[in-house]
Amino acid sequence: MLQQTQVATVIDYYNRWMQVTAAYRQEVNELWAGLGYYSRGKRLQEAARKVVSELAGRMPRTAEDLQKLLPGVGRYTAGAIASISYGQATGVVDGNVIRVLCRLRCIGADSSSPAVIDRLWDMANVLVDRSRPGDFNQALMELGATVCVPKAPLCGECPAKQHCQAWRRVSGERERR
Ligand code: SF4
């Protein structure tokens, strides 16, 4: 839910979602209505059934296994679950993280190109905090959602500005004027 939507929008849906203990597909879809994630609700239920029926009720615990074994779980979701729920030191890359990493490293290449996105995944996997990977990943995504926003980023109050090559370049240019 949080991949594409603001926290404030999601909270009510999330709370209702968490109250469902044994929902049928119709109920699942109704709870997701409004966020436009019908197929995700369906896939989530299929994944839950697979965990129960084929994996002896045990969730896969690494990003690799989550992506390989569960329907509907892609690279981002696998990395998020593995790092946040199971503490695997693996990165996540979503739209916000792409923007933050490109600015931190002053990458001007086309950030929609698969080759660039692959390099950003490599970078996220190297940067992720080994001791608190889930917190690190959530912080990076939240930084992109609230501070390093697409237009007019709030660089003055950014906790990462000392490490940011884009900020250094822009502030250096200002000083030279
Ligand atoms: S200093 Fe500015 S550009 Fe750099 S990461 Fe922070 S908000 Fe983004």
Side-chain angles (χ1 to χ4, degrees), residues 85-148:
S85 300
Y86 300 122
Q88 184 188 7
T90 187
V92 296
V93 172
D94 68 354
N96 285 321
V97 173
I98 287 173
R99 183 171 58 259
V100 173
L101 292 181
C102 284
R103 287 173 174 170
L104 283 173
R105 291 289 183 263
C106 234
I107 296 169
D110 175 8
S111 62
S112 65
S113 112
V116 172
I117 290 174
D118 272 348
R119 289 289 300 118
L120 294 174
W121 273 98
D122 292 343
M123 198 184 294
N125 283 329
V126 169
L127 284 176
V128 66
D129 186 299
R130 265 48 204 162
S131 58
R132 295 174 63 188
D135 288 345
F136 178 90
N137 286 334
Q138 289 179 88
L140 199 56
M141 291 187 276
E142 200 61 14
L143 184 72
T146 59
V147 178
C148 194

Side-chain angles (χ1 to χ4, degrees), residues 100 103-104 143 147-149 153-155 158-161 164 166-167:
V100 173
R103 287 173 174 170
L104 283 173
L143 184 72
V147 178
C148 194
V149 291
L154 307 171
C155 299
C158 176
K161 68 178 177 230
C164 179
W167 182 74

Side-chain angles (χ1 to χ4, degrees), residues 18-84:
M18 292 308 286
Q19 285 165 6
V20 177
T21 52
Y24 290 101
R25 184 169 298 171
Q26 184 62 27
E27 292 173 76
V28 171
N29 285 341
E30 281 170 13
L31 282 167
W32 286 66
L35 284 174
Y37 292 160
Y38 298 100
S39 69
R40 292 188 191 192
K42 178 170 167 271
R43 292 233 184 98
L44 191 56
Q45 197 169 44
E46 286 167 5
R49 288 206 173 105
K50 183 168 182 186
V51 169
V52 171
S53 63
E54 295 177 31
L55 304 174
R58 282 193 289 273
M59 276 284 284
R61 287 177 171 250
T62 65
E64 297 73 21
D65 283 349
L66 283 156
Q67 199 175 342
K68 190 169 67 184
L69 297 173
L70 297 187
V73 174
R75 199 175 187 183
Y76 165 82
T77 307
I81 296 172
S83 62
I84 295 168

